[in-house]
Amino acid sequence: MGKDGTHARSAPDLRVQLGPLSLKNPVLTASGTFGYGQEFSDFLDLARLGAVVVKGISLEPRPGNPPPRIAETPAGMLNAIGLENVGVERFVAEKLPYLRKRNATVVVNILGNSEEEYAALAERLEDEEGIAALEVNISCPNVKEGGIAFGTDPRMAARVTEAVRRKTTRPLITKLSPNVTDIALIARAVEDAGTDIISCINTVSGMAVDVFSRRPKLANILGGLSGPAIKPVALRCVYQVVQAVSCPVIGIGGIQTALDALEFLLVGASAVQVGTASLVRPTSAVEILDGLERFLRHQGLASVREYIGTLDTSCRFPLAEETCAGDE
Amino acid sequence: MPKTQEKARLLETRRVADDTHRIVLYAPRITATARPGQFVMVRIASEGADPLLNRPFSFHRIHKDDGLFEILFRVVGRGTWLLSQRKEGSSLDVIGPLGNAFPMPEAQEEIVALAAGGIGIAPMVELGYRLADWAREKDSRQVFLFYGARTASELVPLGKLERRGIRASFSTDDGSRGSCGTVVDLMDQSVRESGLLPQRLYACGPLAMQAAVAAWAHEKDVRATMSLESVMACGIGACLGCALPAAHPDDSSRARHVHVCKEGPVFDSRKILWEKMEPTPVRPLTFVCS
């Protein structure tokens, strides 16, 4: 609160602290939905975003999966891009300098086929300027090796996290998959292995078929579901992870509006990533940021931090208190 | 050219052939830099998230002075059906102009042809007007249009295009208008009768037709420029969803992709690995609106 008690009228403080990572605001882009940032520079100022999380980078360029790679589903989309990317060398030579020039806060999403590849990527990026954090992708459902193979087994997830941890001094984010029986188990494993931050969720494994051609709608047959359709699943996962770990959490999944973003902050996410919404409306992330600020003013909050994790789960009906709080 | 997100006003909507609609949109910022061959992404849902994704449409006509452009589309699914139901005066979120444009003929090229199949006529009309102007600059220049559809009622009226000096001929699968056969049959017939082999071919249409045109052009050593389509999510090169199999210059066994929204939608036919292309599934119309 300001000295004169007029905090609601001054601009709310949007800064968030995620362990070692300081961000100017809690609105980030989600990997795979924002290219390398440059694709969006006609539509918004990259420097305004909490961070730009770039398309997942591997050691070598990857051609990705054969087409068709996209199928629309009710309030969502399935994709099986297959981690097509330019590879770390071209990223460093061509993409990163542009992001630096635009004063973007950059988070580099990394992926590999083995622990060694993840470690080598972290090492390769360690001395490059203009990287705020690494996000370890152990949750892509669309490739056979790497990706989700590491994300569904707590021991493997921990080993990849440890391998990257040993090679980087930068803030480390580990991105989790919802396609597991107990996400809290994986979350605790990567926290114990040294991750600073957990982001979740990646896409939800799904499928679509065409009844006329009798063909799957994706060449890969299975794909990852994203968009508003997955928001309740994402919210549940973030809530469970927040309960399970003590490190900060970034919420991802179906966020289209500021109110969606606030739901994730409410259950305890310290920041959010905007994904599919950017594909449909390139200005989504900054519009969500503006909406967040409006909401905080409306609620008379001086800082977004006052709102994070304030979900009230106390019993709503005092007469039913025994059953609400019951042990059974 | 900067890409813009603009709220466009739907000024006019009209059914111009079987299941085929033309809408006129007022969007001065997008129109200002639009070129033939480029496209826009149109938001279908007036509110909410269903359908979630925008739909890509090429510029059918560009009226720079009036800040308007037209799109021409065929109802092939729920998105295009909903678009066909939009009322005049309503507004739509549009992103554009996107992708690359048709290159104009090179200095030595004098005989050019447009080949359109079905709704593939959409981007060919604006290009046709530009080529008509190009042809008027020099007597030796000629522009042919080969336009085919399944049946006569699917052919879209071409307006003043023919009066501008374009030599148009038509084909239908059932012979209800023009010659009975394919666009490639029509091209063969024209070359036989006029003795003029085009030096450059512009084509747009269903996959089977495009592949046949590409093969025809390759065999006759004619440069073919194709406007291609794909299922698309963003249209701005971010999602990489609209990949097509590309011919690898060195090694055909190596997977390589081009992206319709970024490197295209206009491609030299030799850049595409035609044998790996998959047709976009089309839903029978009976089930579109149900």
Side-chain angles (χ1 to χ4, degrees):
Chain A
M1 191 184 293
K3 276 179 222 136
D4 50 359
T6 56
H7 60 230
R9 273 181 225 119
S10 61
D13 182 1
L14 291 168
R15 288 172 302 168
V16 286
Q17 187 70 35
L18 286 79
L21 179 64
S22 312
L23 297 175
K24 56 178 145 330
N25 66 64
V27 181
L28 291 68
T29 64
S31 180
T33 62
F34 209 71
Y36 301 103
Q38 191 161 4
E39 293 84 348
F40 286 79
S41 57
D42 280 351
F43 301 102
L44 52 84
D45 176 7
L46 299 175
R48 277 199 69 200
L49 299 167
V52 170
V53 185
V54 299
K55 173 83 183 157
I57 300 294
S58 49
L59 276 179
E60 297 297 326
R62 288 192 182 212
N65 287 330
R69 293 175 169 187
I70 299 262
E72 190 178 49
T73 58
M77 65 177 266
L78 283 165
N79 87 79
I81 307 300
L83 300 174
E84 173 175 351
N85 78 91
V86 297
V88 70
E89 293 309 327
R90 260 188 75 194
F91 171 73
V92 166
E94 297 170 21
K95 311 294 181 183
L96 194 53
Y98 178 84
L99 290 163
R100 274 200 300 260
K101 202 173 76 192
R102 288 300 181 108
N103 293 315
T105 304
V106 179
V107 173
V108 182
N109 182 289
I110 58 170
L111 58 104
N113 291 336
S114 63
E115 282 164 63
E116 292 74 22
E117 283 187 27
Y118 281 95
L121 275 160
E123 196 169 17
R124 173 67 188 81
L125 293 168
E126 185 63 5
D127 295 325
E128 293 299 328
E129 272 174 51
I131 299 174
L134 298 183
E135 183 178 63
V136 180
N137 181 0
I138 53 167
S139 46
C140 177
N142 296 330
V143 291
K144 288 193 189 75
E145 300 171 312
I148 200 154
F150 296 111
T152 52
D153 177 343
R155 279 165 309 173
M156 292 290 284
R159 278 169 56 184
V160 172
T161 307
E162 267 165 32
V164 176
R165 179 76 287 171
R166 276 196 291 272
K167 298 291 181 190
T168 187
T169 55
R170 289 206 168 97
L172 180 58
I173 307 168
T174 305
K175 185 170 179 178
L176 303 188
S177 167
N179 307 315
V180 295
T181 312
D182 183 2
I183 195 166
L185 192 68
I186 313 274
R188 278 191 293 265
V190 298
E191 184 183 39
D192 291 345
T195 198
D196 298 309
I197 302 160
I198 289 170
S199 59
C200 60
I201 56 176
N202 206 318
T203 55
V204 179
S205 181
M207 182 172 182
V209 295
D210 182 69
V211 296
F212 296 102
S213 65
R214 306 186 190 191
R215 303 266 294 154
K217 287 193 178 173
L218 298 171
N220 194 53
I221 303 175
L222 304 186
L225 182 63
S226 65
I230 71 165
K231 197 183 70 176
V233 177
L235 200 63
R236 181 268 295 173
C237 288
V238 169
Y239 175 73
Q240 288 180 324
V241 170
V242 166
Q243 302 300 311
V245 299
S246 54
C247 70
V249 176
I250 301 174
I252 321 165
I255 296 172
Q256 290 222 309
T257 65
L259 297 182
D260 294 336
L262 282 156
E263 292 179 20
F264 285 83
L265 299 180
L266 185 58
V267 303
S270 304
V272 296
Q273 293 181 6
V274 177
T276 299
S278 296
L279 303 179
V280 177
R281 193 170 169 82
T283 49
S284 290
V286 289
E287 286 168 5
I288 287 169
L289 187 54
D290 292 341
L292 210 54
E293 195 172 325
R294 247 189 342 268
F295 177 86
L296 294 173
R297 278 178 202 276
H298 176 264
Q299 298 284 301
L301 296 170
S303 160
V304 67
R305 299 185 296 280
E306 292 173 29
Y307 189 78
I308 291 169
T310 56
L311 182 71
D312 178 4
T313 54
S314 65
C315 186
R316 208 166 282 185
F317 307 103
L319 287 176
E321 205 156 345
E322 278 169 36
T323 37
C324 276
D327 300 316
E328 61 268 69
Chain B
M1 289 300 153
K3 303 177 186 98
T4 307
Q5 183 175 285
E6 193 169 13
K7 204 163 266 305
R9 183 157 292 268
L10 199 165
L11 296 183
E12 190 186 316
T13 176
R14 184 174 293 184
R15 184 184 162 280
V16 290
D18 279 2
D19 312 319
T20 307
H21 298 257
R22 191 191 66 204
I23 63 178
V24 182
L25 293 169
Y26 177 69
R29 285 191 295 150
I30 289 172
T31 309
T33 58
R35 290 176 294 156
Q38 289 188 293
F39 69 101
V40 289
M41 295 297 286
V42 177
R43 180 135 188 82
I44 302 295
S46 46
E47 57 170 313
D50 189 35
L52 179 66
L53 301 178
N54 301 335
R55 299 290 191 271
F57 299 100
S58 59
F59 291 109
H60 174 55
R61 292 302 319 273
I62 301 165
H63 307 285
K64 268 209 172 109
D65 296 342
D66 304 318
L68 326 162
F69 65 84
E70 300 173 26
I71 61 178
L72 182 78
F73 63 94
R74 200 175 153 75
V75 175
V76 293
R78 193 162 157 267
T80 41
W81 180 73
L82 288 168
L83 188 59
S84 74
Q85 302 299 306
R86 276 300 194 97
K87 298 279 180 272
E88 290 175 359
S90 64
S91 58
L92 295 108
D93 285 319
V94 181
I95 301 168
L98 304 172
N100 63 358
F102 286 115
M104 289 302 279
E106 284 170 14
Q108 78 282 6
E109 293 171 340
E110 301 211 307
I111 314 292
V112 302
L114 306 166
I119 196 61
I121 191 68
M124 291 304 179
V125 172
E126 182 62 31
L127 177 65
Y129 279 99
R130 306 286 174 111
L131 289 173
D133 292 341
W134 165 85
R136 268 206 293 269
E137 289 166 14
K138 209 168 160 192
D139 280 348
S140 50
R141 288 177 178 171
Q142 289 203 55
V143 183
F144 291 85
L145 167 65
F146 307 111
Y147 178 21
R150 283 180 299 194
T151 188
S153 57
E154 287 184 0
L155 288 165
V156 175
L158 294 175
K160 298 186 189 110
L161 201 53
E162 285 176 86
R163 271 180 273 157
R164 296 280 181 96
I166 303 260
R167 295 171 65 174
S169 50
F170 303 87
S171 70
T172 46
D173 293 352
D174 60 4
S176 52
R177 183 169 173 201
S179 50
C180 183
T182 67
V183 169
V184 173
D185 296 336
L186 204 56
M187 284 157 38
D188 277 329
Q189 188 189 329
S190 162
V191 171
R192 238 184 358 256
E193 286 170 6
S194 68
L196 295 170
L197 182 68
Q199 290 142 318
R200 182 192 282 268
L201 197 55
Y202 297 93
C204 186
L207 178 60
M209 172 252 176
Q210 299 246 67
V213 169
W216 186 91
H218 188 76
E219 186 202 303
K220 299 194 157 42
D221 205 20
V222 173
R223 187 130 175 229
T225 306
M226 317 292 245
S227 172
L228 300 180
E229 67 172 355
S230 166
V231 177
M232 227 177 243
C234 72
I236 58 174
C239 71
L240 307 179
C242 59
L244 294 180
H248 200 283
D250 316 312
D251 177 4
S252 61
S253 68
R254 265 171 66 190
R256 195 174 162 270
H257 298 107
V258 285
H259 305 89
V260 174
C261 78
K262 203 167 56 170
E263 291 96 352
V266 175
F267 295 93
D268 187 302
S269 66
R270 292 165 299 188
K271 294 263 163 67
I272 302 298
L273 202 57
W274 291 97
E275 58 272 27
K276 287 266 177 76
M277 292 275 281
E278 270 213 45
T280 311
V282 174
R283 187 181 285 209
L285 212 59
T286 334
F287 296 95
V288 162
C289 337
S290 55

